[in-house]
């Protein structure tokens, strides 16, 4: 029955969520539609419109749009333009909304209500969701929705977007036919600027007894430490440092578990199955390849735990504040910090997040250097090489050497990015003007266990889908290329050397030989273009197939530790710090910049940078005698 | 509203002392970036609004942390210099001085 309704009205009434940045629109959207869009405690999380569906308690079927936050209806950056285009009915492929839900942060009515007034003047049916009602109550801000509704001339309901029943009053309101045409009752648009909106809002707040400015004592106390000119940067350094230590220290046990499980699995298969090509596909292709990537799941979970915690707490914009001077010295602003930080998870959301940067030149520079931030897909590659070549010991009594090396690799990417930005500043005139910051510092929230758990679960599912999808497919494909054609009779080397992949690898090795890569590495680089982790699974497959006789079941790390020099390993690590991103990143850059020029320039400069850096690393390492 | 008219007009926010309760007098953008005036107004720098300098950044006192109304923003010093402020002699005492 319900299904039928949905099919009969594929484009039901359209409802749009509009409001200031960080007022909880996406949290409310997720609650209303059951979606899982990204929610975080800083301004500019949502940068494109997202659609969802909901059915009201009365059985009405609605389409819901989540929109980027905006401070006014005069857009200053590409993400705010998305919101305005929808509101004015200019968005391509979307009609003008039938109802606007103006989401308002109840703890900051002074600023939020001004936008509500401007939205009301658009003349579309409009209701107000007084969100964060829980926080307002805790701070002693007593807003009576009915009284506010009278003052505003619009229906008002309280919501708490982070509680499962927090949107019930809003849902019930959607069934009220009056709200869908309520604008007919109010006087027509007056087209007033923000200033007089401000006076109106101030009068309303005075009448409701809400005009006092309430100090943010707990947040301010944290800021006293975190933004302190001396202590603040130390706190930031300690936080980053702990994250990388934890990625290695905490992951050890679960990683050993996964390793033992895959090793015994391949042993069992090796015993149970007869020696055919199918056994080779399962043992050398699937278990060695896919299992090799799966091992790094615990480290990815730990990294995301910290990223999610920092995002939800509200610390990220503070970090951006602390680093603003540094960014300024290379011709960027603190505004570029969050897109760059998002790129540590994956460059694609990072490049999208650059939409919240108003200055077009800064936005482009941010997009171009985002791939230099080490994405989580590179973590398996780093972890494999570090595990194989860096001894596990403590330095200075307390720090794990492996964690330190990982931190250095991440820093190398950051320094590379800053250097590129600095060069662009030196050689372009636009790089030297003062650029605006005007960045909101939201009050701190204590992240809930539930939200973090859901966030991590989503990341795990994404990773598992990659493992079961693109990584699996490429691994199987590589196994075929590496197994056929079979070795001729009387061949002396391993069969793979005569296969298609072996021949390709040997051809590529000529290009990469000056930076110390052998033909096995050269093969692995190719599927690594599609997804970074595949480089690891590809190495697993290639080495499993190169092995002769009994050592097939051996794990990849000790194998490469035996057969590569330290100089090669270092060179490969450096390659992965700088090498061009996966193809989907380049495709995203094309979409965001509108042509293939930028992605091509990006791929070219990153390739040159990676080659040069690896060359220097390899040659220096050889000269130091670690060849 | 009359309380706002008493302060030292001409003092700008970037020169204010940390922790002093002030009100916005007006916003004047530099000729090179006229759009700042509207942007600052949109985030709350409007005549009469309460404003306070919370902290200064690293070397050179840039950027600044500013409480404006109920929100907190990080501003460049050049941005804060667009905002002229007036001191609130006795906060919450409306209209006692004309
Ligand atoms: N306590 C409380 N926190 C909330 C509520 N709604 C949202 N939040 C939190 O507020 C922060 C911002 O929420 P988002 O949904 O990302 O805000 P947004 O309006 O979509 O932000 P942009 O996309 O940046 O414009 C997150 O940390 C949420 O967990 C609420 O009703 N109560
Ligand atoms: Mg959002």
């Amino acid at each position: 029955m319900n299904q039928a309704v949905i099919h009969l009205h594929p484009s039901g009434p359209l409802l749009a969520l509009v409001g200031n940045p960080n007022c909880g629109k996406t949290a409310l959207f997720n609650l209303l539609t059951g979606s899982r869009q990204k929610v975080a405690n800083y301004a500019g999380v949502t940068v494109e419109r997202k659609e969802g569906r909901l059915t009201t308690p009365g059985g009405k079927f609605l389409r819901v749009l989540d929109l980027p936050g905006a401070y006014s209806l005069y857009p200053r950056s590409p993400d705010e333009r998305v919101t305005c285009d929808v509101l004015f009915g200019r968005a391509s492929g979307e009609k003008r909304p039938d109802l606007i839900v103006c989401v308002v942060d109840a703890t900051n009515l002074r600023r939020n209500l001004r936008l509500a007034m401007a939205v009301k003047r658009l003349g579309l049916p409009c209701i107000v969701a007084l969100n964060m009602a829980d926080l307002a109550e805790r701070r002693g801000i007593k807003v009576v929705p009915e009284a506010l509704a009278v003052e505003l001339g619009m229906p008002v309901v309280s919501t708490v977007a982070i509680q499962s029943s927090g949107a019930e009053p809003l849902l019930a309101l959607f069934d009220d036919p009056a709200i869908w045409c309520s604008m007919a009752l109010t006087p027509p648009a007056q087209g007033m600027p923000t200033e007089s909106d401000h006076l109106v809002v101030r009068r309303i707040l005075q009448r409701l007894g809400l005009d006092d400015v309430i100090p943010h004592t707990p947040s301010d106390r944290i800021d006293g430490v975190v933004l302190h000119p001396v202590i603040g940067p130390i706190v930031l350094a300690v936080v980053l440092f702990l994250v990388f230590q934890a990625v290695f220290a905490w992951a050890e046990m679960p990683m050993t578990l996964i390793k033992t499980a895959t090793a015994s699995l391949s042993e069992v298969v090796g015993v149970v199955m007869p020696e055919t090509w199918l056994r080779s596909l399962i043992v050398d292709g699937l278990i060695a390849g896919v299992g090799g990537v799966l091992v790094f799941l615990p480290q990815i979970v730990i990294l995301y735990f910290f990223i999610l915690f920092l995002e939800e707490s509200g610390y990220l914009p503070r970090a951006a504040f602390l680093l603003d001077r540094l960014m300024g010295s290379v011709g960027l602003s603190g505004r570029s910090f969050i897109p760059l930080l998002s790129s540590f998870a994956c460059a694609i959301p990072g490049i999208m997040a650059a939409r919240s940067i108003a200055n077009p030149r800064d936005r482009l520079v941010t997009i171009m250097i985002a791939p230099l931030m080490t994405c989580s897909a590179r973590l398996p590659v780093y972890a494999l090489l570090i595990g194989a070549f860096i001894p596990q010991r403590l330095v200075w009594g307390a720090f794990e050497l492996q964690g330190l090396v990982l931190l250095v690799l991440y820093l190398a990417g950051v320094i590379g990015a800053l250097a590129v930005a600095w060069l662009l500043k030196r050689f372009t005139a636009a790089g030297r003007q003062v650029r605006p910051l005007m960045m909101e510092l939201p009050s701190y929230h204590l992240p809930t266990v539930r939200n973090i758990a859901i966030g991590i679960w989503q990341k795990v599912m994404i990773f598992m889908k990659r493992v079961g999808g693109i990584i699996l497919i490429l691994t199987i494909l590589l196994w075929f290329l590496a197994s056929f054609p079979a070795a001729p009779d009387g061949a002396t080397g391993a069969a793979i050397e005569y296969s298609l992949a072996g021949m390709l690898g040997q051809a590529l090795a000529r290009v990469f030989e000056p930076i110390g890569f052998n033909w096995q590495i050269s093969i692995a680089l190719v599927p690594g273009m599609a997804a970074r982790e595949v480089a690891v699974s590809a190495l697993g497959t290639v080495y499993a197939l190169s092995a002769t006789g009994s050592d097939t079941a051996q794990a990849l790390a000790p194998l490469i530790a035996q057969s590569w020099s330290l100089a090669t390993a270092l060179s490969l690590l450096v390659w992965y710090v700088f090498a061009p991103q996966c193809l989907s990143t380049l495709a995203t850059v094309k979409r965001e910049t509108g042509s293939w020029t930028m992605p091509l320039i990006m791929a070219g400069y990153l390739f040159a940078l990676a080659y040069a850096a690896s060359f220097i690393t390899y040659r220096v390492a050889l000269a130091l005698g670690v060849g | 509203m009359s309380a706002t008219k008493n302060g030292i007009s001409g003092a700008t926010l970037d020169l204010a002392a940390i922790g002093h309760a002030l009100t916005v007098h007006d916003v004047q953008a530099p000729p090179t970036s006229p759009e700042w005036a509207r942007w600052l107004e949109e985030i709350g720098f409007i005549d009469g609004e309460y404003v306070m300098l919370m902290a200064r950044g690293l070397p050179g006192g840039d950027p600044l942390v500013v409480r404006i109304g109920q929100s907190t923003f990080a501003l460049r010093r050049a941005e804060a210099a667009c905002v002229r402020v007036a001191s609130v002699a006795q906060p919450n005492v409306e209209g006692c001085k004309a």
Side-chain angles (χ1 to χ4, degrees):
Chain A
M1 192 63 214
N2 244 348
Q3 287 293 332
V5 174
I6 290 170
H7 282 289
L8 280 174
H9 305 279
S11 51
L14 184 66
L15 184 161
L17 296 170
V18 179
N20 277 172
N22 209 41
C23 64
K25 298 174 296 298
T26 305
L28 195 59
F29 174 80
N30 287 347
L31 185 61
L32 289 173
T33 63
S35 316
R36 292 251 180 266
Q37 294 301 327
K38 179 168 171 178
V39 168
N41 191 12
Y42 56 83
V45 181
T46 309
V47 289
E48 54 184 347
R49 64 170 204 249
K50 293 279 181 187
E51 196 187 319
R53 278 133 208 272
L54 76 83
T55 314
T56 64
K60 200 174 163 93
F61 174 75
L62 303 175
R63 284 195 307 137
V64 187
L65 285 185
D66 182 25
L67 295 173
Y71 288 111
S72 74
L73 297 182
Y74 302 96
R76 54 172 106 170
S77 53
D79 58 335
E80 295 193 354
R81 204 159 299 132
V82 171
T83 302
C84 293
D85 284 350
V86 169
L87 289 181
F88 291 106
R90 291 192 300 248
S92 63
E94 193 54 270
K95 63 173 181 175
R96 214 172 173 203
D98 299 297
L99 175 71
I100 293 175
V101 176
C102 211
V103 185
V104 163
D105 174 355
T107 65
N108 193 340
L109 291 177
R110 303 165 89 80
R111 174 156 55 75
N112 281 252
L113 283 184
R114 278 206 304 277
L115 181 67
M117 309 289 290
V119 169
K120 183 184 163 194
R121 273 200 303 274
L122 292 174
L124 293 169
C126 183
I127 60 180
V128 172
L130 200 56
N131 195 35
M132 310 224 186
D134 56 332
L135 287 182
E137 198 180 301
R138 217 176 305 153
R139 294 202 194 148
I141 305 169
K142 292 190 188 64
V143 195
V144 184
E146 292 75 20
L148 191 60
V150 173
E151 295 284 352
L152 291 174
M154 296 185 263
V156 179
V157 283
S158 316
T159 57
V160 181
I162 56 165
Q163 280 168 13
S164 48
S165 60
E168 270 163 21
L170 183 63
L171 275 171
L173 197 59
F174 292 148
D175 282 325
D176 179 355
I179 63 157
W180 295 91
C181 52
S182 58
M183 279 304 112
L185 306 172
T186 53
Q190 295 150 16
M192 285 291 142
T194 46
E195 203 183 352
S196 70
D197 276 343
H198 181 65
L199 292 179
V200 175
V201 169
R202 197 181 295 175
R203 259 198 310 277
I204 291 177
L205 292 180
Q206 270 166 3
R207 273 199 295 272
L208 297 178
L210 296 169
D211 194 36
D212 299 328
V213 172
I214 294 172
H216 307 206
T217 327
S219 269
D220 286 350
R221 216 170 280 154
I222 300 175
D223 275 344
V225 177
V226 162
L227 299 180
H228 187 276
V230 181
I231 306 172
I234 298 179
V235 171
L236 178 61
V238 169
V239 167
L240 292 178
F241 193 79
L242 283 181
V243 172
F244 291 106
Q245 288 286 309
V247 164
F248 270 93
W250 298 359
E252 210 179 299
M253 213 189 51
M255 285 179 74
T256 320
L257 272 176
I258 300 178
K259 259 185 234 165
T260 346
T262 46
S264 39
L265 186 65
S266 67
E267 226 162 86
V268 169
V269 175
V271 171
V272 171
M273 286 184 68
E275 188 167 351
T276 58
W277 64 270
L278 189 63
R279 186 177 91 174
S280 169
L281 174 64
I282 291 179
V283 173
D284 303 331
L286 295 188
I287 302 180
V290 175
V293 176
L294 212 54
V295 169
F296 300 102
L297 180 64
Q299 289 181 325
I300 290 173
V301 167
I302 294 171
L303 185 69
Y304 272 112
F305 167 78
F306 284 104
I307 292 182
L308 289 169
F309 189 93
L310 291 176
E311 278 179 354
E312 263 297 299
S313 66
Y315 182 66
L316 288 191
R318 269 79 181 182
F321 173 85
L322 291 172
L323 294 174
D324 181 66
R325 278 306 285 264
L326 180 66
M327 308 283 278
S329 64
V330 299
L332 288 172
S333 77
R335 289 229 149 230
S336 302
F337 175 78
I338 288 174
L340 292 178
L341 198 96
S342 312
S343 307
F344 281 112
C346 172
I348 294 168
I351 288 166
M352 304 272 304
R355 287 187 184 186
S356 64
I357 301 172
N359 184 310
R361 181 232 169 233
D362 282 16
R363 178 165 173 251
L364 185 60
V365 174
T366 307
I367 289 176
M368 293 303 270
I369 62 176
L372 287 169
M373 305 293 126
T374 303
C375 64
S376 61
R378 263 178 277 184
L379 189 58
V381 182
Y382 287 176
L384 172 74
L385 295 175
I386 291 175
F389 286 92
I390 308 295
Q392 199 173 13
R393 63 183 166 89
L394 294 184
V395 286
W396 304 315
F399 308 121
E400 281 218 42
L401 182 61
Q402 296 188 330
L404 279 180
V405 172
L406 186 65
L407 180 59
V408 167
L409 289 172
Y410 273 76
L411 285 180
V414 173
I415 291 167
L418 293 180
V420 172
W422 182 80
L423 282 176
L424 291 172
K425 174 192 168 187
R426 269 306 300 275
F427 297 110
T428 57
R432 269 159 281 175
Q433 47 179 266
V434 185
R435 40 187 41 86
L437 183 62
M438 299 190 209
M439 177 178 64
E440 191 172 356
L441 304 178
S443 47
Y444 291 97
H445 292 172
L446 188 65
T448 59
V449 178
R450 187 171 160 269
N451 275 353
I452 298 231
I454 291 176
I456 291 181
W457 177 243
Q458 279 174 268
K459 301 298 173 189
V460 169
M461 291 319 288
I462 291 172
F463 180 73
M464 294 308 280
K465 270 190 204 135
R466 277 169 74 91
V467 169
I470 183 153
I471 296 178
L472 181 71
I473 292 169
L474 285 171
T475 306
I476 294 176
L477 194 71
L478 186 71
W479 178 86
F480 272 103
L481 289 177
S483 303
F484 299 101
D489 290 336
T492 46
I496 184 174
E497 288 173 35
Y498 304 94
S499 69
L500 280 174
M503 287 186 277
L504 178 71
Q506 270 143 10
L508 281 175
R510 239 166 272 152
V511 180
F512 290 111
E513 194 255 294
I515 60 174
F517 295 177
N518 58 21
W519 63 267
Q520 288 99 330
I521 300 177
S522 307
I523 298 178
L525 292 181
V526 177
M529 294 280 294
R532 284 330 184 73
E533 308 94 321
V534 179
V536 170
S537 64
L539 279 174
T541 303
V542 168
Y543 272 98
L545 285 173
S546 315
T548 38
S550 58
D551 54 348
T552 355
Q554 218 185 59
L556 184 56
L559 233 150
I560 60 173
Q562 284 163 22
S563 54
W564 298 358
S565 69
L566 181 57
T568 293
L570 291 177
S571 172
L572 184 57
L573 278 175
V574 169
W575 174 265
Y576 265 98
V577 171
F578 299 114
Q581 280 287 306
C582 55
L583 299 174
S584 29
T585 302
L586 295 176
T588 307
V589 174
K590 191 231 154 204
R591 200 179 64 207
E592 293 294 295
T593 60
S595 81
W596 278 109
T597 320
M598 287 303 151
L600 287 177
I601 293 177
M602 180 189 246
Y605 102 81
L606 288 173
F607 189 89
L609 192 62
Y611 199 91
S614 292
F615 185 80
I616 294 169
T617 310
Y618 185 62
R619 296 292 149 178
V620 169
L622 284 186
L624 292 177
V626 292
Chain B
M1 255 165 259
S2 48
T4 63
K5 303 280 181 230
N6 288 300
I8 344 108
S9 59
T12 51
L13 180 59
D14 58 319
L15 302 172
I18 288 177
H20 266 237
L22 302 166
T23 56
V24 176
H25 186 266
D26 62 2
V27 178
Q28 271 163 358
T32 46
S33 24
E35 69 282 9
W36 287 8
R38 211 192 57 223
W39 292 2
L40 285 165
E41 272 175 22
E42 284 168 7
I43 61 176
F45 289 89
I46 295 172
D47 184 11
E49 185 64 288
Y50 294 105
V51 62
M52 188 196 285
L53 187 61
M54 308 290 291
R56 286 174 198 278
L58 283 165
D62 195 17
L64 310 169
V65 182
V66 173
R67 169 74 31 85
I68 174 71
Q70 206 53 264
S71 346
T72 315
F73 274 86
L75 294 188
R76 271 294 133 63
R77 223 167 54 182
E79 292 158 7
C82 303
V83 181
R84 286 201 299 167
V85 291
S87 63
V88 193
Q90 267 103 47
N92 300 334
V93 181
E94 277 275 0
C96 62
K97 297 182 194 171

